[in-house]
Structures are given as structure tokens and as C-alpha cells.
């Protein structure tokens, strides 16, 4: 029996794919089709794939040409598959001519004629609505947003607004944004969505106004510092059929998502403890981050990052939370929080004036996961066990400032009308707002 193998993304399955699969099948008796995993595509820089891996597998199956479908997860897998399945022929479209000659060592490599005039890229472009985003607030993070958005298809930054007009005008020139607006209403009239990156205390009003105007909102983290406000905003978004998403970049990082999925699948047993820390010590105390009137301090500034792994892994149903802070000039320069769950205890530490090791450790009944500092930009993690031979290391690519992943998810939610993203569920975002509220109200709160 002659076995043939071929690989592809097979997004928005089209006639070119069908012809290719038929030609590949005709080369032998048994056809194996490797379909790329979503994470694998993201790592290759293919951020715009429309169908998820399950949909793409179903589409390939429906052609009737594949005898077996496998998932392509990592670079170098082709060699492993060829040996594992005892493959005779590796077939791929002629657009890859020469690129897979290295596989000749393991089997015969055939480049098949590609169907002219059609591709997934073309179909995506034809059907893609371009989401016009207005940037609200021209601070540090906003200046990273614009270049990052250029890596995501289906989105363009079309305007900018800041209470300080001069700042907005400079931002427009510096980032080549087509317009700046003197009023927020004016910006809202001219965009489909806004990215709110203003100081925390203005998020609620700005997000609410945009949602009520029927605009999608991507709001910097912490979205709001109050659970009722968070609930209200999500309710308005749903009633207006628009997307509201909290822009927590760690939540969208591919490696972090893989870590969460692996831990939830039980690779380290039952999770009993999560410890996450993050500190950024700044000398300049005149920054907004140290201003009590602008919700400065470690908890509001950094808290939503370490809260993320705790809430994602152990849920929103903790029994109690104690907070311990060292306060200077009206803001917490250091806060430690201890969550008690039914069968687990978790803690986090954040510091703007205290330095600590910034790692993430998830302890389980069979082993633990260690993500070294800076874990909030996860590109590497380890699973460790009593028997060190079982330890495993995982490496990922982290592109640029990492905002492209959250922008891509935001656009994908808009295009596919998904109100809640699995990366950061609405209830998880509300739970974070609730923790911020507890801190603001000084409940179960101890001053050091
Ligand atoms: N293919 C083909 N003819 C086309 C498009 C794709 O023969 N018009 C082949 C590719 O050469 C590859 C397989 O189909 O062997 C899967 O390709 P994939 O990358 O999924 O399809 P594209 O349409 O090229 O996707 P994209 O535009 O995202 O690169």
C-alpha cells in the first residue's frame, strides 16, 4: 500500500484545496492529511486564520479524500510523521517548490500543481470587513498598540482622541494615523471600535459611552475597579450586540494559554497552590502610577496580571481573600493577597516600590509548573516532577510587544460575534473588578 502525506491550514476550504487533496490521493492508496493546530499557526505568524482547527478538520474530512487526518503541532513534526506512519510520498502544492527537499532523505517529495486564482488569503480579504479602531488616550501603551495592530488583518487604526489635543495631534503624526478628533463623540461617529488606554478611573465612562453608541470596546486592564460597573458594561455590550473585552495581554499570550490548557488537563495533578508575582520598581514617584487621586499604586497598576492565572486555574468561587499592603504617600507600594479556595490556597504579590522575584509557580498533586520571570510575557515554561526524568520544557515565540494577540482575538470576536472570549471570560473579568473593589473598600485588608 502506497502512503501519501500532505499538510496545510485549509482555512475557508476552497477548490484549490480540493484539487490538491485529489491530486495527492491519486499518487497512492492511502492519504494522510496534516492540519495545522491554531497555536502552531499563530506561532508561524499566521494570525488571521478564520476557522478553528476543529472546523478545518471537519472541512477536510468532508472532501472525502483523507483516509486519516492528523494535527500538525510543531516544527519538525513532518519528519516524525513520515517515519511513524511509514509514508512513501510527501506531497504539497507547487507554491512550496524546493522548500521541502530536505524530506527526500525520508521519502519521495512531490510538488503538485497549485490551482491558480484562489487562496485562503484571497477569500479572507474578500470577505473581511475592516474594523476601524479609534485610540483613546495617547500614553505609552497606546503607542505600542498602533504598530502591533499592523500585524493583524481586518483592523486599522483610523483615529485618535486625547483630552490633550496637542498630544493626540502628535500621536497622529508620529504613528501615521489618518485623523485626530477634538471630541470623543466625534471620534465615536467615525469608528467601529475603540481601544481605551486612558488612566484607570476614566475607563468606565469612556467604555460606557462607546458601548451605548454601538461601538466595540477593547479596554486596558484593569477595566474598572468595581464589580457592578464591570457587570453593567458587559450587559450594555450584550444589549447593543457589540464586543467588550478587557485588554489583558497575558491572557492572549500563546504560551500562557497552552500552560493553562495543560494544567487544566491534569498534567500536574490537582492544583493546590498558585503563586504569582510581579514588581516594577520605578524611581520617578511623580508618575501617574504613584498618584492616589488617579488610582495609582501596585494593586491597581499591576494586580490584574497575577490575578489572571489564579482565577483561570481555580475559578471565581474563592471562599475569602485577605489583602496586605504597605502604603506610602497614599498608595500601596506593595500588596500581597491570599486567596482561600475549598481545596487550594493561592497568593500574589505586586510591587511598585518593593522588588521581588517575578515568577509563577503552580503546584499540583503530581508536579508543578514553573514560569520564570517575566512570566506575564510567557515564552517558556517547565513542568517539574519528583522524578526529574519526567520534567519537560516548553518554548514559544513571543512576537513584538505581544498586543497583536489580543487585537487579533478582539477582531475575531467582532467578526464572529462572540461576546465572551475563552481567554478571559466575562465572569473572570468581573471577578478581577471585584478584587479591585475589595482593595478600594479596604475589606479584609491589613496595613503592614
Ligand atoms: N493549494 C493549492 N492551490 C491553491 C491554494 C492552496 O494547491 N490555490 C495547496 C497548497 O499548496 C497546500 C495546500 O493546498 O499544499 C494547503 O494550503 P493552505 O496553506 O492551507 O492554503 P492557501 O489557500 O495557500 O492558504 P493561505 O492563503 O493562508 O496561504
Amino acid at each position: 500500500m502506497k502512503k501519501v502525506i500532505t499538510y496545510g491550514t485549509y482555512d475557508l476550504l476552497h477548490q484549490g484545496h480540493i484539487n490538491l487533496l485529489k491530486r495527492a490521493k491519486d499518487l497512492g492508496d492511502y492519504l494522510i492529511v496534516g492540519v495545522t493546530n491554531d497555536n502552531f499557526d499563530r506561532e508561524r505568524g499566521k494570525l488571521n486564520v478564520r476557522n478553528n482547527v476543529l472546523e478545518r478538520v471537519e472541512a477536510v474530512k468532508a472532501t472525502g479524500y483523507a483516509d486519516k487526518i492528523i494535527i500538525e503541532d510543531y516544527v519538525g513534526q513532518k519528519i516524525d510523521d513520515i517515519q511513524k506512519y511509514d509514508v512513501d510520498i510527501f506531497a504539497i502544492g507547487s507554491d512550496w517548490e524546493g522548500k521541502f527537499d530536505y524530506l527526500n532523505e525520508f521519502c519521495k517529495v512531490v510538488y503538485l500543481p497549485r490551482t491558480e486564482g484562489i487562496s485562503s488569503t484571497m477569500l479572507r480579504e474578500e470577505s473581511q470587513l475592516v474594523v476601524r479602531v479609534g485610540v483613546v488616550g495617547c500614553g505609552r501603551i497606546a503607542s505600542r498598540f498602533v504598530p502591533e495592530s499592523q500585524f493583524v488583518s481586518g483592523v486599522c487604526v483610523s483615529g485618535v482622541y486625547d483630552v490633550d489635543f496637542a498630544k493626540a495631534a502628535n500621536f497622529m503624526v508620529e504613528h501615521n494615523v489618518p485623523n485626530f478628533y477634538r471630541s470623543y463623540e466625534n471620534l465615536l461617529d467615525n469608528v467601529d471600535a475603540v481601544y481605551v488606554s486612558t488612566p484607570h478611573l476614566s475607563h468606565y465612562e469612556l467604555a460606557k459611552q462607546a458601548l451605548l453608541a454601538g461601538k466595540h470596546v477593547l479596554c486596558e486592564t484593569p477595566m474598572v475597579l468595581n464589580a457592578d460597573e464591570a457587570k453593567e458594561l458587559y450587559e450594555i455590550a450584550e444589549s447593543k450586540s457589540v464586543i467588550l473585552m478587557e485588554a489583558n495581554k497575558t491572557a492572549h499570550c500563546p504560551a500562557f494559554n497552552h500552560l493553562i490548557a495543560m494544567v487544566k488537563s491534569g498534567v500536574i495533578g490537582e492544583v493546590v497552590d498558585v503563586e504569582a508575582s510581579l514588581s516594577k520598581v520605578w524611581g520617578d514617584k511623580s508618575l501617574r502610577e504613584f498618584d492616589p487621586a488617579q488610582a495609582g499604586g501596585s494593586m491597581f497598576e499591576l494586580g490584574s496580571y497575577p490575578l489572571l492565572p489564579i482565577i483561570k486555574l481555580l475559578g471565581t468561587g474563592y471562599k475569602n481573600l485577605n489583602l496586605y499592603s504597605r502604603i506610602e504617600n497614599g498608595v500601596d507600594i506593595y500588596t500581597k493577597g491570599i486567596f482561600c479556595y475549598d481545596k487550594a490556597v493561592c497568593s500574589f504579590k505586586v510591587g511598585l516600590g518593593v522588588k521581588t522575584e517575578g515568577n509563577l509557580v503552580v503546584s499540583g498533586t503530581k508536579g508543578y509548573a514553573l514560569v520564570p520571570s517575566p512570566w506575564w510575557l510567557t515564552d517558556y515554561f517547565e513542568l517539574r516532577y519528583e522524578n526529574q526524568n519526567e520534567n519537560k520544557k516548553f518554548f514559544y515565540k513571543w512576537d513584538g510587544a505581544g498586543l497583536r494577540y489580543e487585537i487579533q482575538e478582539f477582531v475575531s470576536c467582532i467578526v464572529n460575534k462572540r461576546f465572551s472570549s475563552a481567554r478571559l471570560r466575562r465572569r473572570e473579568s468581573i471577578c478581577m473588578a471585584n478584587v479591585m473593589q475589595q482593595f478600594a473598600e479596604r475589606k479584609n485588608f491589613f496595613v503592614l
Side-chain angles (χ1 to χ4, degrees), residues 61-73:
K61 206 187 253 172
T63 66
Y65 292 119
D67 296 290
K68 184 177 182 67
I69 298 177
I70 58 172
I71 304 296
E72 187 180 20
D73 262 319

Side-chain angles (χ1 to χ4, degrees), residues 66 148 263 343 386 395:
E148 284 284 308
V263 171
K343 290 182 152 187
E386 193 61 45
F395 298 87

Side-chain angles (χ1 to χ4, degrees), residues 3 70 77-87:
K3 283 189 182 171
I70 58 172
Q77 184 181 325
K78 292 186 178 77
I79 296 175
D80 290 346
D81 290 340
I82 289 167
Q83 292 175 329
K84 183 163 148 196
Y85 298 109
D86 204 13
V87 166

Side-chain angles (χ1 to χ4, degrees), residues 223-224 226-227 230 234 244-246 311 316 424-435:
M223 186 172 79
V224 283
N226 176 294
Y234 283 114
L244 168 63
M245 188 183 277
E246 178 164 356
I311 292 171
T316 56
L424 180 58
R425 290 279 176 216
R426 288 181 288 193
R427 62 173 179 280
E428 294 167 338
S429 160
I430 293 168
C431 178
M432 285 187 188
N434 196 36
V435 173

Side-chain angles (χ1 to χ4, degrees), residues 35 70 152 248-249:
V35 178
I70 58 172
V152 182
N248 184 314
K249 68 173 182 289

Side-chain angles (χ1 to χ4, degrees), residues 370-382:
L370 169 68
V371 194
S373 173
W375 66 266
W376 53 96
L377 306 176
T378 319
D379 61 358
Y380 163 76
F381 65 85
E382 270 185 72

Side-chain angles (χ1 to χ4, degrees), residues 9-10 14 17 20 46 93 95 114-115 118-121 124:
T9 304
Y10 303 101
H14 54 68
H17 293 138
L20 188 284
K46 245 183 152 164
D95 46 323
R114 187 178 156 92
T115 308
I118 185 145
S119 72
S120 306
T121 307
R124 282 191 293 260

Side-chain angles (χ1 to χ4, degrees), residues 54-238:
L54 293 178
E55 292 162 344
R56 293 182 283 113
V57 164
E58 280 307 313
V60 168
K61 206 187 253 172
T63 66
Y65 292 119
D67 296 290
K68 184 177 182 67
I69 298 177
I70 58 172
I71 304 296
E72 187 180 20
D73 262 319
Y74 58 91
V75 181
Q77 184 181 325
K78 292 186 178 77
I79 296 175
D80 290 346
D81 290 340
I82 289 167
Q83 292 175 329
K84 183 163 148 196
Y85 298 109
D86 204 13
V87 166
D88 302 286
I89 299 173
F90 170 88
I92 194 102
S94 51
D95 46 323
W96 294 97
E97 190 80 49
K99 299 257 171 50
F100 291 100
D101 288 355
Y102 70 92
L103 293 174
N104 270 313
E105 196 186 324
F106 306 94
C107 69
K108 188 172 167 195
V109 175
V110 176
Y111 297 101
L112 291 167
R114 187 178 156 92
T115 308
E116 292 305 317
I118 185 145
S119 72
S120 306
T121 307
M122 234 174 77
L123 293 177
R124 282 191 293 260
E125 277 165 7
E126 274 170 20
S127 60
Q128 180 84 41
L129 75 154
V130 174
V131 179
R132 295 167 305 157
V133 178
V135 168
V136 186
C138 301
R140 271 170 314 208
I141 187 89
S143 57
R144 278 182 242 150
F145 183 87
V146 182
E148 284 284 308
S149 70
Q150 284 152 6
F151 289 93
V152 182
S153 53
V155 62
C156 74
V157 175
S158 62
V160 54
Y161 166 78
D162 195 293
V163 278
D164 181 341
F165 304 147
K167 241 174 144 182
N170 281 338
F171 190 94
M172 173 183 81
V173 174
E174 195 179 325
H175 296 284
N176 213 4
V177 175
N179 300 297
F180 86 94
Y181 297 93
R182 286 174 185 273
S183 83
Y184 188 43
E185 290 74 15
N186 213 337
L187 173 94
L188 290 177
D189 284 343
N190 288 286
V191 296
D192 308 304
V194 287
Y195 168 60
V196 178
S197 58
T198 53
H200 313 320
L201 292 177
S202 57
H203 288 178
Y204 170 73
E205 285 301 338
L206 290 167
K208 186 169 171 176
Q209 197 177 334
L211 294 170
L212 287 170
K215 309 295 169 181
H216 308 284
V217 175
L218 178 64
C219 184
E220 256 314 317
T221 192
M223 186 172 79
V224 283
L225 308 175
N226 176 294
D228 290 335
E229 287 181 0
K231 269 189 223 143
E232 185 195 345
L233 291 180
Y234 283 114
E235 276 163 19
I236 298 175
E238 191 157 347

